[in-house]
Amino acid sequence: MSQRARTASVVELAQELIRRPSRAGIDDYGPVLTVLEDWLAARELPHRRLDDDSGTLVGLLVEIAGGRPGAWWTLDACVDTAPYGDEATWSFPPTAGEVVDGWLRGRGAADSKLAAALFCHIAADLAHRAADWAGGLAVLLDVDEHTGVFGGARAYLADEAAHRPAGVMIGYPGFDEVVVGGRGLWRAQVTVHAPSGHSGSSKTVVSAISRAARLVQLLDADALPGVVDASGFPLAPKLTITAIHGGQGFSVTPDRVDLNVDVRTTPGFDAHDAETVVRKATVELDAELPAPAPTDIAPVATWPPFRLADDEEPAAALLNAATAAGLQVRTKTAGPSNIGNLLAGEGIPATAGFGLPYEGLHGIDERAHLAELPTVYAVYKGAVLGLLGG
């Protein structure tokens, strides 16, 4: 297949995916995954469905075994998406899937349906050479990613029949950088208590809302360390209050308020440090403004930070392939967490982004620029062949 024909085929598949709504936690994932199943079956690529513990379909897995023993490597792209937001603010339908002025338009064009189409084509392109490989190539096409649950990736890692990858390359977009790391996170729900009462009562009580507001002040005032990590990690930790829930109506002072606390962690400020900061603030709150019950902290998620060295696979293979394609890309450690953090917790190294230039990621008018598609294709194909020795 010529480069022009292959590019057109990648775009055509991506268009079909964009036209199937697959908003995380909103839409049925069946239609978008069926498009991929039909495409893979038509090319006789070995694939199967991945289900979560409840039996819900959360992804597809392609596995192509090499002719000699060796490590397995995985290309991963999610095919669920962020929600649309206010569709009235878009200048085109979120499911447009059209190409205008060299841009593929629609939700998922950037993150990450175009990458899914590209990775499927790489698998089809290279399958006939598998006998020359040492190891094997997997392509994970997952959903339940934008929920933050990472159900597809978790089902892959839990699948005893799947070959455990030596490394993963995730197809998040961005043409100038190879993302080799990301901050981790520690998240908790903090529950603040207080006596309930009538807002018009002559007896003054400190409501749970007032106590929660004071806790926010204490947390905001607690200075976290800056970028002084001995490991060379380039980002500082960060604490954010992301939600506050409590109270109803006007006449009752609430006896409970729940706060969501999100702390982004680094190798030098880990989950234990994050929890220590939050517990310190709650102890101070309870001493300053006593309540019938102590403030509760319920951790809900912990992911480790990660960062690959430039000479560590699969980062090295991707960087070398980019250089061979004539690109000068830099490495980046991302502030937000991603599937790379989940993989790091499993001891699996990952890159978390190199792809097409984009606009509107998770926002309005999402689109990806197609002129660079042949180069991105060549880089990932070169990286796979470098890893498999084919």
Side-chain angles (χ1 to χ4, degrees), residues 94-186:
T95 56
E98 61 190 359
V99 177
V100 177
D101 296 330
W103 292 84
L104 176 62
R105 310 201 305 184
R107 178 63 86 221
D111 184 14
S112 293
K113 292 180 175 181
L114 191 52
L118 186 147
F119 289 167
C120 286
H121 279 77
I122 288 177
D125 191 9
L126 297 182
H128 72 283
R129 302 170 60 170
D132 298 330
W133 300 347
L137 172 65
V139 178
L140 173 63
L141 305 162
D142 58 312
V143 294
D144 200 26
E145 192 265 9
H146 283 83
T147 61
V149 176
F150 298 163
R154 291 183 187 277
Y156 171 45
L157 296 173
D159 191 330
E160 295 181 355
H163 294 273
R164 191 168 183 83
V168 177
M169 291 180 283
I170 305 168
Y172 297 133
F175 191 66
D176 298 323
E177 300 163 332
V178 172
V179 177
V180 297
R183 285 189 295 202
L185 61 78
W186 179 85

Side-chain angles (χ1 to χ4, degrees), residues 190-275:
V190 179
T191 301
V192 174
H193 304 279
S196 62
H198 196 291
S199 61
S201 172
S202 60
K203 180 181 179 180
T204 300
V205 297
V206 179
S207 74
I209 289 177
S210 296
R211 297 187 78 242
R214 178 56 180 152
L215 179 59
V216 172
Q217 290 178 325
L218 292 170
L219 290 171
D220 283 346
D222 202 324
L224 301 186
V227 185
V228 293
D229 198 320
S231 71
F233 201 82
L235 297 177
K238 181 181 181 183
L239 186 153
T240 308
I241 310 298
T242 58
I244 300 178
H245 303 282
Q248 185 175 9
F250 292 91
S251 63
V252 177
T253 57
D255 60 0
R256 170 179 177 151
V257 170
D258 297 313
L259 302 89
N260 291 352
V261 181
D262 177 280
V263 184
R264 299 303 164 126
T265 61
T266 69
F269 187 87
D270 61 14
H272 173 76
D273 298 315
E275 184 168 356

Side-chain angles (χ1 to χ4, degrees), residues 46 48 50-51 58 75 80 110 127 144 163 185 230 257 278 291 318 345 353:
R48 55 190 172 85
L50 294 173
D51 297 330
V58 289
L75 298 172
D80 67 325
D144 200 26
H163 294 273
L185 61 78
V257 170
V278 175
L318 197 54

